[in-house]
Amino acid sequence: MKALSNKRRRDIGQQKWQFIAVIITVAMGVAMFAGTFNAYLNLGTSLEASYDRLHMADMVVTGADEGFVDSVQSVEGVANAIERRQADVPFVIGDDDLLGRVIGFPGDGQPAIDQIDIDEGDYLDPDAPTDVLIEKHAAANFDLGVGDSFTIADVEVTVVGIVTSPEYLWPARDEQSLFTPPDTFAVVFALEETLDGLGSTIALDQVLVEYDEDADREATDEAVENAASAANAGGTQVLEDQPSNSAINEEISGLQSMAVAFPVLFLSAAGMAIYVIMTRLVFSQRGVIGTLRASGFGKKQLAAHYRSYGMLVGIIGAAIGALFGGLMARGMTALYTQVFSIPDLVARFHLPTVLVALAFGAVAGIVASIAPARLVMRMEPAEAMRGDVPAEAGKESIFEKLLPPLRRAPVRWRMTLRGIGRNMKRSSTQVIGVVLAMTLIIAAVGMLDTIVRIVDRQFDEVSLSDATAIFNVPVTPDAIAEVAGVNDVAGAEAVMTLQASIKNGAETFSTTISGYEADTTMHGFPEPLPRTGILVGQAMGDVLDVSVGDNVTVVLGQLDAEITTSIEGFVDEPLGTVAYMQLDTLINSIVASNDDVDPALLTSPAYTTAEARFDQGANAENVMDRIQDLDIVATVVNETALRDAFLDYQAFFYAFIGLMVVFGAALAFALIFNIISVNVAERSSEFASMRANGLSYRRVANMIAGETFLLTALGILPGMLVGWWAANAFIKSFADEQMPITADVAPITFVIASLSMFVVAGLSLLPALRAVKRIKVGEIVRERSV
Amino acid sequence: MNNLAVKATELTKTYGEGETAVHALSDVTFEIPRGEFVVLQGPSGCGKTTLLNQLGALEAPTSGDVESNGYKLNGLDDDGRTDYRLNTVGFVFQFYNLVPSLTAYENVALIAELTGDDVRKRSEQVLASVGLGDRMDHFPGQMSGGEQQRVSIARGLVKNPPLMLCDEPTGALDTETGIQVLRLLRSITDSGDRTIVVVTHNSQISEIANRVIELKDGVVLGMHLNDDPKDPGDVAW
């Protein structure tokens, strides 16, 4: 029906700003969905492509018996397995001393599993044992190029290539150090014989296992773990727990949660705005509807006509959103692949996502128009043609009922209070809009608050040392005293940290175990370390299903030792889920569990360090330099650097959070603007009449502003509660058993989110108040406005 | 005190420009003495409401001026016009234009609060004077059309304005209720210091007026006085 189409077009044109606000809201929601979900799909595909091409290991088994590499190949689902060795050894690169990692590679070409991309230079020469390939993060951080030299365990090596490794796309030392300070870590790939030439360094024997493409991953993981256990392996690491993969997948899964949760908020808001506009339109067109019905239009025909408004703006918004979403997806995929150094960028156009996005927009529009369309169906032609709407029944506001003294307040105040009860659906819509916008803002900023709080707790309450010195000599009391004696160092203690698998029956938790002195001042424990037994992270306790007093087995793969000990308590630490023992107890338990363990090995720099605290007001950099200058120290890790590494990791979250705050404000603006516009349009005769009777524009404006701010205020408390709940749910999508975080939203965030709602409400008021100022009092009082 | 309630001088109001311009009023000049019940009469589109809007300072004229109760309306800005309406004019509209969320009392008190103390006493008195003493706590939605129009009249009267401007005050009412409302309006001029201007297309209403101003096509066709205005109940409606 062309005439009806023209009517629809002109109706929309007459309220173009309200409809534009809705279209923008739909477009934002759809763009977020299409962009984020496509980026999520593309990132997963890109990562998968890189893993497939470079044969990323599906499982790494450490310290298994000889022959395991052959036996594991017969496990169902296993495609291939190879042996490899790696060692953590002191590096000296320029002025930097650090604990680096050397991974043994064959001289006759790349290994079959965990291959690398050579970005610059050449592969290793089998006749040049001092040549190394350096992982690209370290090359960039230490400004190393092909031909440059540095020292590994007193052996000078030369960089012959800069490489990308699928194991270090996110350069983490281990599962417990996802945020490894870049100055303290570097990975090189060297010939096996280079590894042999690194003195007394203990190299870990690893078996890398690759699965068939169509293998049942869970079943194969279990079968390989069983086989590894039978081969007395010290530890196993599935791909899911591989540090780099785990860090990247946390981000990708967070992206997936965002892709669904936030667009739902926008589409809900858009739907509510459509409902408000369409209800108003239907009421204002009662006469037209009655006339059309009298002229022969059917109820369903007219209902479909009004539903089509919502569908049209939904589809237009969704189409714009899908377009921007497509561009956003490309940008986000490129950004993420760059941040995580994923070598393969697969940015596909996912038609189903775009179609779903379009459907989201259209469905939001149609659903929101159902109620107004039903109003159309219920109108009787004769009554509708009269055009007037039965007068609303007035009543006291809830505020006056609850607070009787308000009944004596000036009438204009009471009018403001009652204004919010005049159209409960519309008022509820504004309240819900405020709740949605606050949810968006609090969930996003709450993420930032939580990160900051985690960092503060970790570095102010848990990890109390200022620096960790890693030694290149056995750690003796003299060595500790030497560190403690450095100018501006307040104290130093020996700390031993070992990779460990903690087992309770069939349940295993891979982590680290740290030994601290009984009265340590380097680490904050809720109560002193027990003389015997261990303390473990609460999340570990849940996984292992243990309580205080239960016995667990601590498997130390590097030392081929097993300790049976009891759980003496749980700790709640924000970063990482680890185990703690008293240092003496740990050393004695290791020695007692395996006669073959050489106590001297326990002093290897790979295991044992000293943590130090500085004097108040000391210049940390200078103190670090002084510790570094000690001959016995291989490298010093600054705790501030750890804090910075963690915050750097979150850096590109900030852009997202900023975007969410802007989107949240825009969402609130679009919704409140529409509601106020409709409110003013509907009550134009009332306002005109007041103006005619001598109320100044300012008084009328104050009443409208009062209603708007009051409704905004009503949304604040539920907005805080729902926002806090959403922040928790959002944070949980990034949590895992290693980092069991919960939302910790700062009070100031609630305050800022609340104030921002009032600012947005104030801004949304401006166009409506201008409309009130432009009211032609003389014309409007002649007509009954509905 | 000047005995003139309203003086319109060469009042012209044109809507639009050029070929599409509509001359709603052209050089309208008249005077209305204080205390009269005046009817502005004419067919639809003759400019009655435009003229009423000029008298009530709801619109500015294109040229000419209105003097009313000491105000020269042409020179007033928005605040000045608001002040004039607040202190000088009570409006009664065809569709009452009451605030539906306020009771009858509160609709009146809303205006009373702007114009002095004793808000409750004045509001109750004026509502009682229009016969709504027992309906004060009812909301507009709970009242008949006649009752709502009486609230509207009370709202206009509560600030004790020297000029009441009524736009088709009986247009939405049945005959009997219309008669009651006209009686009420007529009684308002009894004190002799309050002037009422009623716009209507209903020629019978002119029979109850002291003065009738006839308009056609934006021009004053004529003005005549009724020596013996009838009671609304005596008019053949």
Side-chain angles (χ1 to χ4, degrees):
Chain A
M1 281 252 170
K2 191 160 188 326
L4 277 185
S5 301
N6 287 342
K7 172 181 172 296
R8 183 178 55 220
R9 182 165 48 78
R10 286 170 195 149
D11 284 346
I12 290 175
Q14 277 182 350
Q15 297 185 65
K16 58 178 176 294
W17 292 114
Q18 283 90 336
F19 279 108
I20 285 172
V22 173
I23 287 170
I24 290 172
T25 314
V26 172
M28 285 197 294
V30 168
M32 281 187 76
F33 170 74
T36 320
F37 202 78
N38 271 348
Y40 155 72
L41 293 175
N42 284 340
L43 271 172
T45 314
S46 300
L47 192 62
E48 202 60 44
S50 297
Y51 284 175
D52 284 350
R53 189 171 57 76
L54 298 171
H55 298 275
M56 176 75 160
D58 293 295
M59 172 84 81
V60 177
V61 178
T62 310
D65 292 343
E66 219 166 301
F68 175 71
V69 68
D70 299 322
S71 63
V72 76
Q73 304 214 32
S74 60
V75 171
E76 192 180 342
V78 170
N80 197 6
I82 62 166
E83 284 179 310
R84 174 180 97 166
R85 288 188 302 155
Q86 76 173 38
D88 285 359
V89 287
F91 286 19
V92 179
I93 305 175
D95 294 333
D96 291 299
D97 296 75
L98 54 131
L99 190 66
R101 179 165 295 165
V102 182
I103 296 176
F105 257 39
D108 56 353
Q110 292 224 20
I113 300 174
D114 279 348
Q115 296 178 347
I116 49 175
D117 269 335
I118 300 173
D119 303 328
E120 269 182 70
D122 298 307
Y123 189 68
L124 298 166
D125 179 348
D127 299 324
T130 57
D131 285 355
V132 296
L133 303 167
I134 188 158
E135 194 274 328
K136 71 174 181 186
H137 290 92
N141 185 59
F142 296 106
D143 198 19
L144 288 173
V146 173
D148 289 343
S149 297
F150 61 96
T151 307
I152 300 178
D154 295 329
V155 176
E156 184 165 309
V157 295
T158 304
V159 174
V160 294
I162 294 170
V163 303
T164 299
S165 161
E167 296 173 90
Y168 296 97
L169 297 177
W170 180 256
R173 187 187 292 279
D174 51 44
E175 285 173 70
Q176 278 68 46
S177 313
L178 285 185
F179 313 104
T180 306
D183 287 345
T184 66
F185 187 56
V187 179
V188 299
F189 301 85
L191 296 173
E192 288 286 342
E193 57 186 291
T194 311
L195 209 50
D196 292 334
L198 298 177
S200 61
T201 301
I202 301 168
L204 285 177
D205 292 322
Q206 297 178 322
V207 172
L208 312 182
V209 186
E210 188 181 11
Y211 297 169
D212 288 324
E213 235 173 80
D214 55 353
D216 175 342
R217 180 165 288 277
E218 217 169 295
T220 312
D221 280 347
E222 196 178 336
V224 174
E225 276 170 343
N226 288 339
S229 183
N232 299 310
T236 56
Q237 186 179 66
V238 294
L239 178 58
E240 197 186 350
D241 294 336
Q242 201 275 338
S244 164
N245 183 54
S246 152
I248 296 172
N249 274 315
E250 284 301 326
E251 285 301 325
I252 294 179
S253 76
L255 212 53
Q256 186 192 18
S257 307
M258 274 158 43
V260 179
F262 288 121
V264 164
L265 293 184
F266 279 90
L267 293 178
S268 304
M272 288 190 293
I274 291 172
Y275 164 78
V276 168
I277 297 175
M278 290 309 300
T279 306
R280 154 76 190 156
L281 191 75
V282 165
F283 270 115
S284 69
Q285 294 192 347
R286 283 170 64 89
V288 173
I289 292 164
T291 308
L292 291 175
R293 287 289 315 282
S295 308
F297 276 89
K299 284 181 177 179
K300 288 183 179 168
Q301 206 175 359
L302 284 178
H305 169 64
Y306 285 98
R307 267 200 306 273
S308 70
Y309 286 63
M311 187 171 74
L312 187 68
V313 294
I315 288 175
I316 292 173
I320 296 169
L323 187 71
F324 278 100
L327 298 172
M328 233 170 98
R330 282 197 77 84
M332 284 176 75
T333 309
L335 179 70
Y336 272 74
T337 50
Q338 195 184 349
V339 167
F340 290 111
S341 315
I342 299 172
D344 298 83
L345 170 59
V346 184
R348 286 193 191 129
F349 177 76
H350 295 274
L351 185 63
T353 309
V354 173
L355 293 178
V356 168
L358 283 171
F360 271 177
V363 167
I366 292 171
V367 168
S369 303
I370 285 176
R374 287 179 65 168
L375 272 176
V376 174
M377 290 183 72
R378 283 204 298 269
M379 282 181 189
E380 291 304 323
E383 187 198 328
M385 271 194 295
R386 280 201 288 274
D388 55 346
V389 179
E392 311 155 43
K395 58 182 178 188
E396 263 190 344
S397 68
I398 181 101
F399 305 101
E400 290 160 89
K401 286 179 184 156
L402 292 175
L403 275 173
L406 281 175
R407 291 174 185 153
R408 291 192 296 277
V411 176
R412 55 185 183 280
W413 292 17
R414 279 180 270 168
M415 191 177 160
T416 299
L417 294 176
R418 288 179 201 175
I420 67 171
R422 286 174 63 166
N423 188 327
M424 283 308 285
K425 284 182 185 164
R426 195 182 307 146
S427 298
S428 308
T429 304
Q430 184 176 333
V431 172
I432 294 170
V434 170
V435 171
L436 290 181
M438 284 192 65
T439 300
L440 200 63
I441 293 172
I442 291 174
V445 183
M447 181 89 194
L448 181 64
D449 288 342
T450 305
I451 292 166
V452 170
R453 178 72 187 122
I454 284 172
V455 171
D456 286 348
R457 265 195 70 209
Q458 179 68 29
F459 295 103
D460 295 341
E461 297 170 21
V462 176
S463 181
L464 303 178
S465 62
D466 294 312
T468 301
I470 299 168
F471 293 88
N472 53 23
V473 296
V475 180
T476 59
D478 288 347
I480 299 297
E482 203 171 337
V483 174
V486 168
N487 193 21
D488 285 337
V489 169
E493 293 175 18
V495 178
M496 170 184 278
T497 299
L498 296 161
Q499 296 289 329
S501 295
I502 300 185
K503 297 182 176 178
N504 176 37
E507 301 296 340
T508 301
F509 196 96
S510 293
T511 183
T512 59
I513 185 165
S514 292
Y516 279 90
E517 289 179 6
D519 54 352
T520 179
T521 58
M522 299 298 160
H523 196 95
F525 291 107
E527 48 197 85
L529 274 171
R531 182 76 196 94
T532 58
I534 60 171
L535 300 179
V536 299
Q538 185 62 56
M540 193 191 312
D542 295 341
V543 171
L544 296 176
D545 192 20
V546 289
S547 313
V548 171
D550 290 349
N551 277 340
V552 291
T553 306
V554 181
V555 181
L556 305 167
Q558 294 152 292
L559 300 170
D560 199 17
E562 261 191 35
I563 303 168
T564 298
T565 186
S566 62
I567 301 282
E568 293 299 319
F570 296 100
V571 290
D572 175 22
E573 297 184 348
L575 281 184
T577 302
V578 297
Y580 299 98
M581 276 183 113
Q582 271 197 24
L583 182 62
D584 292 346
T585 313
L586 180 58
I587 291 174
N588 293 338
S589 303
I590 292 169
V591 173
S593 78
N594 186 350
D595 292 342
D596 296 337
V597 172
D598 176 0
L601 288 180
L602 300 181
T603 61
S604 160
Y607 303 145
T608 308
T609 56
E611 290 188 11
R613 295 181 71 178
F614 303 159
D615 285 333
Q616 200 84 25
N619 181 317
E621 258 184 52
N622 292 345
V623 185
M624 295 272 298
D625 287 345
R626 286 198 284 273
I627 297 175
Q628 183 72 72
D629 287 344
L630 297 175
D631 289 341
I632 55 170
V633 172
T635 185
V636 185
V637 178
N638 186 350
E639 289 294 331
T640 309
L642 269 173
R643 186 186 283 238
D644 291 345
F646 188 77
L647 290 175
D648 281 352
Y649 173 70
Q650 310 299 339
F652 81 122
F653 248 135
Y654 300 161
F656 155 75
I657 288 165
L659 198 66
M660 285 302 102
V661 171
V662 171
F663 273 27
L667 180 152
F669 181 88
L671 199 53
I672 298 175
F673 162 71
N674 269 329
I675 289 167
I676 301 171
S677 300
V678 165
N679 199 11
V680 167
E682 190 170 290
R683 292 163 65 184
S684 55
S685 72
E686 185 179 313
F687 297 140
S689 162
M690 287 184 202
R691 296 277 285 125
N693 277 295
L695 262 78
S696 64
Y697 160 73
R698 202 170 297 112
R699 280 188 195 272
V700 175
N702 284 346
M703 276 193 260
I704 299 168
E707 278 180 33
T708 303
F709 288 129
L710 192 59
L711 282 172
T712 304
L714 288 177
I716 295 295
L717 185 61
M720 286 182 182
L721 293 174
V722 178
W724 181 82
W725 172 84
N728 240 320
F730 186 39
I731 289 282
K732 280 203 171 112
S733 72
F734 288 89
D736 62 11
E737 57 197 34
Q738 293 295 342
M739 210 162 93
I741 45 177
T742 52
D744 200 340
V745 185
I748 188 72
T749 297
F750 290 112
V751 174
I752 289 172
S754 306
L755 289 179
S756 69
M757 287 300 100
F758 286 107
V759 171
V760 168
L763 292 173
S764 315
L765 264 171
L766 295 179
L769 293 185
R770 268 207 301 276
V772 171
K773 199 163 197 172
R774 284 200 303 265
I775 280 179
K776 290 183 176 163
V777 180
E779 280 177 29
I780 290 177
V781 291
R782 286 266 307 158
E783 302 160 3
R784 167 171 280 197
S785 177
V786 287
Chain B
M1 193 185 200
N2 188 339
N3 196 40
L4 275 185
V6 175
K7 180 183 176 188
T9 309
E10 295 176 351
L11 202 54
T12 296
K13 179 68 181 176
T14 305
Y15 295 106
E17 289 176 1
E19 289 181 6
T20 58
V22 174
H23 302 287
L25 294 174
S26 301
D27 283 333
V28 170
T29 299
F30 61 83
E31 292 180 348
I32 299 175
R34 192 174 304 281
E36 287 194 350
F37 186 106
V38 181
V39 166
L40 280 177
Q41 189 182 291
S44 293
C46 70
K48 303 185 297 286
T49 297
T50 304
L51 181 53
L52 196 80
N53 288 347
Q54 299 295 320
L55 302 186
L58 295 179
E59 290 177 337
T62 307
S63 64
D65 196 10
V66 173
E67 287 179 52
S68 171
N69 295 282
Y71 286 87
K72 281 175 77 72
L73 304 191
N74 201 16
L76 298 178
D77 59 10
D78 188 60
D79 285 345
R81 287 200 295 272
T82 300
D83 184 59
Y84 164 72
R85 290 197 298 267
L86 182 62
N87 295 315
T88 310
V89 187
F91 276 100
V92 177
F93 303 110
Q94 180 178 359
F95 293 114
Y96 336 127
N97 293 334
L98 299 175
V99 180
S101 60
L102 300 181
T103 61
Y105 164 77
E106 289 166 338
N107 263 285
V108 175
L110 175 68
I111 305 304
E113 284 174 352
L114 301 176
T115 52
D117 300 328
D118 294 332
V119 170
R120 175 160 286 277
K121 189 175 162 193
R122 286 193 293 132
S123 302
E124 286 176 354
Q125 273 179 351
V126 76
L127 276 164
S129 74
V130 298
L132 291 174
D134 57 346
R135 305 281 283 166
M136 285 195 287
D137 292 329
H138 286 69
F139 287 94
Q142 299 165 325
M143 304 173 96
S144 68
E147 287 174 323
Q148 289 188 58
Q149 191 60 298
R150 278 188 280 161
V151 175
S152 156
I153 293 168
R155 179 178 64 184
L157 284 175
V158 75
K159 51 191 178 182
N160 198 21
L163 180 63
M164 288 284 282
L165 300 174
C166 311
D167 194 354
E168 301 280 9
T170 58
L173 303 175
D174 60 66
T175 306
E176 190 52 41
T177 312
I179 289 170
Q180 289 172 15
V181 166
L182 286 172
R183 274 201 183 117
L184 177 61
L185 289 173
R186 192 74 185 78
S187 70
I188 290 168
T189 57
D190 288 348
S191 62
D193 58 0
R194 184 174 288 136
T195 309
I196 292 195
V197 179
V198 174
V199 158
T200 182
H201 66 278
N202 185 340
S203 57
Q204 284 97 325
I205 294 181
S206 61
E207 294 179 38
I208 68 170
N210 301 107
R211 183 183 297 265
V212 179
I213 299 172
E214 287 198 43
L215 286 172
K216 190 177 181 190
D217 297 332
V219 176
V220 175
L221 275 188
M223 181 161 62
H224 68 267
L225 300 175
N226 266 343
D227 291 337
D228 186 19
K230 288 183 178 175
D231 177 85
D234 297 335
V235 176
W237 298 98

